[in-house]
């Protein structure tokens, strides 16, 4: 799970949700190959999934998740709710439990009423939905520490961006397998804010 390195956070705010990841792509815990690795994928404008773990499995799962959502949209003529999508992801991972994908997803989105939903999962799809924040990746312990210190409920989109950005940058500072900048998506009912963070490059 730590072969390529990753750090992801999702946080709930007041009628908004944020998801952030680092940008490092490493090989075999030694070599930093790129610092523009995409780890967060858009399923639809109000629903994103972040993946940590093996890079090849991240890309495979992201394509399969998008495919499943497109099939649902064709049949139902509407977008998936975040909770429904999380259950689809969980089922897909559990199907492969005897030879699992080496990836841990975080699902973050807003339902049709603007209510935030976030959940983390392990590699066989055991969901852990919450109403504050979830983290995954190599820097999990230090991310939990800074998130518990900085998080407050009912933050607005700009405040949520500031908090999740500081949590990500502070958390990856103590981990050599993740970092090298980050990207943050803040999803609210009427707009999406996407910003890139500059972090330590050592």
């Amino acid at each position: 799970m730590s072969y390529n390195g990753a750090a992801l956070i999702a946080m709930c705010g007041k009628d908004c949700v944020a998801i952030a990841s680092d940008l490092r792509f490493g090989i075999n815990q030694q070599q930093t190959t790129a610092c523009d690795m995409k780890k967060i994928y858009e399923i639809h404008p109000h629903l994103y999934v972040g993946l940590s773990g093996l890079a090849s499995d991240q890309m495979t799962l992201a394509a399969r998740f998008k495919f499943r959502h497109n099939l649902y949209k064709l049949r139902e003529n509407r977008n998936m709710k975040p909770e429904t999508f999380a259950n689809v992801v969980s089922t897909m991972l559990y199907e492969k439990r005897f030879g699992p994908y080496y990836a841990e997803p975080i699902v973050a989105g807003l339902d049709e009423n603007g209510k935030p939903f976030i959940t983390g999962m392990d590699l066989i799809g055991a969901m852990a939905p919450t109403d504050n924040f979830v983290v995954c990746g190599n820097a999990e312990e230090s991310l939990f520490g800074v998130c518990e210190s900085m998080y407050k409920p009912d933050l607005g989109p700009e405040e949520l961006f500031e908090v999740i950005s500081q949590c990500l940058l502070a958390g990856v500072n103590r981990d050599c397998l993740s970092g090298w900048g980050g990207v943050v998506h803040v999803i609210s009912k009427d707009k999406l804010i996407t910003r890139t963070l500059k972090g330590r490059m050592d």
Side-chain angles (χ1 to χ4, degrees):
M1 293 298 285
S2 59
Y3 186 86
N4 298 122
L8 287 112
I9 311 175
M11 271 184 190
C12 289
K14 187 172 170 54
D15 302 325
C16 61
V17 69
I19 184 166
S21 84
D22 71 322
L23 293 172
R24 181 182 179 273
F25 173 62
I27 290 179
N28 200 21
Q29 300 186 6
Q30 293 165 355
Q31 185 181 351
T32 300
T33 310
C35 48
D36 59 353
M37 169 77 174
K38 183 180 179 184
K39 295 169 191 168
I40 298 172
Y41 300 87
E42 182 183 321
I43 303 301
H44 63 72
H46 289 141
L47 179 61
Y48 281 70
V49 62
L51 291 155
S52 74
L54 197 63
S56 52
D57 283 359
Q58 286 180 37
M59 289 169 186
T60 304
L61 281 172
R64 290 194 67 199
F65 295 159
K66 188 73 178 164
F67 172 70
R68 283 288 179 95
H69 176 262
N70 289 345
L71 282 180
Y72 179 93
K73 197 171 178 184
L74 279 169
R75 189 173 61 244
E76 301 283 334
N77 218 13
R78 63 195 165 102
N79 284 326
M80 254 192 217
K81 292 178 187 168
E83 202 165 346
T84 310
F85 178 73
N87 283 301
V88 168
V89 169
S90 179
T91 306
M92 284 172 69
L93 293 175
Y94 193 67
E95 276 171 6
K96 303 279 187 187
R97 64 192 175 280
F98 299 117
Y101 290 108
Y102 287 102
E104 293 183 348
I106 281 181
V107 176
L110 296 176
D111 66 15
E112 66 270 24
N113 303 316
K115 186 171 179 254
F117 174 86
I118 58 170
T119 185
M121 266 173 241
D122 67 2
L123 72 173
I124 59 163
M127 282 179 21
T130 179
D131 57 1
N132 45 30
F133 60 85
V134 289
V135 302
C136 76
N138 299 102
E140 207 168 58
E141 291 86 358
S142 52
L143 287 170
F144 258 122
V146 290
C147 288
E148 282 171 352
S149 304
M150 297 189 196
Y151 178 78
K152 288 186 205 139
D154 295 333
L155 294 168
E158 286 298 333
E159 295 166 301
L160 189 63
F161 165 77
E162 198 61 45
V163 169
I164 200 169
S165 302
Q166 293 302 326
C167 287
L168 183 71
L169 292 172
V172 299
N173 264 353
R174 295 184 175 272
D175 178 51
C176 61
L177 299 179
S178 55
W180 289 58
V183 63
V184 181
H185 304 279
V186 183
I187 310 151
S188 46
K189 205 163 186 184
D190 53 347
K191 67 174 178 177
L192 169 72
I193 302 166
T194 300
R195 292 183 185 135
T196 306
L197 309 174
K198 186 165 170 47
R200 283 174 58 170
M201 307 293 268
D202 59 353

